[in-house]
């Protein structure tokens, strides 16, 4: 904020208008963020609490399979892993969901 104020400094006195403009701009940005439903834009179905690595991996695998319309080869490429590695992860997820 100080840097911007000094950059816009053109008269003999440093005006508070620059600070007021910056503060109003920041407040409007935060107001916009408050109206966003994080569940709609977040890649994971959480907003406040972070998942465990195990749960995050499960979310990523399931999302990749969804985006790949069930094609394991395509989903594996999205995740940057081999198809057999994805198959193993899917088996683990299946076991976890049954218990």
């Amino acid at each position: 904020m100080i840097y911007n104020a000094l950059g816009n400094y053109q008269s003999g006195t440093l005006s508070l208008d620059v600070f007021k403009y910056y503060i109003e701009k920041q407040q409007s940005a935060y107001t916009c963020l408050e109206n966003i439903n994080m569940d709609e834009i977040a890649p994971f179905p959480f907003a406040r609490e972070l998942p465990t690595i195990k749960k995050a991996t499960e979310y990523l695998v399931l999302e990749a399979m969804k985006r790949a319309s069930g094609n394991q080869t395509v989903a594996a490429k999205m995740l940057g892993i081999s198809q057999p590695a994805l198959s193993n992860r899917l088996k683990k997820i299946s076991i976890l969901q049954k218990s």
Side-chain angles (χ1 to χ4, degrees):
M1 183 170 30
I2 302 290
Y3 179 78
N4 287 338
L6 291 173
N8 292 319
Y9 177 69
Q10 296 173 358
S11 64
T13 341
L14 184 58
S15 171
L16 289 178
D17 291 337
V18 176
F19 295 104
K20 290 177 185 176
Y21 170 77
Y22 182 81
I23 290 169
E24 288 171 3
K25 185 177 170 185
Q26 292 295 76
Q27 286 176 340
S28 67
Y30 287 119
T31 302
C32 290
L33 287 175
E34 290 172 358
N35 297 329
I36 294 174
N37 181 354
M38 290 303 288
D39 291 333
E40 292 176 3
I41 63 166
F44 300 115
F46 60 86
R48 291 184 176 91
E49 189 176 305
L50 289 175
T52 62
I53 295 294
K54 188 177 194 178
K55 200 66 171 165
T57 301
E58 182 180 325
Y59 289 140
L60 283 171
V61 167
L62 294 175
E63 181 64 22
M65 288 298 293
K66 179 179 164 185
R67 291 182 185 197
S69 300
N71 185 319
Q72 287 188 22
T73 303
V74 173
K77 286 182 182 180
M78 287 180 189
L79 295 169
I81 61 177
S82 68
Q83 188 279 323
L86 176 60
S87 182
N88 287 336
R89 290 179 190 269
L90 287 168
K91 287 176 188 171
K92 287 178 186 176
I93 291 170
S94 176
I95 291 168
L96 290 174
Q97 289 178 345
K98 288 180 182 177
S99 57

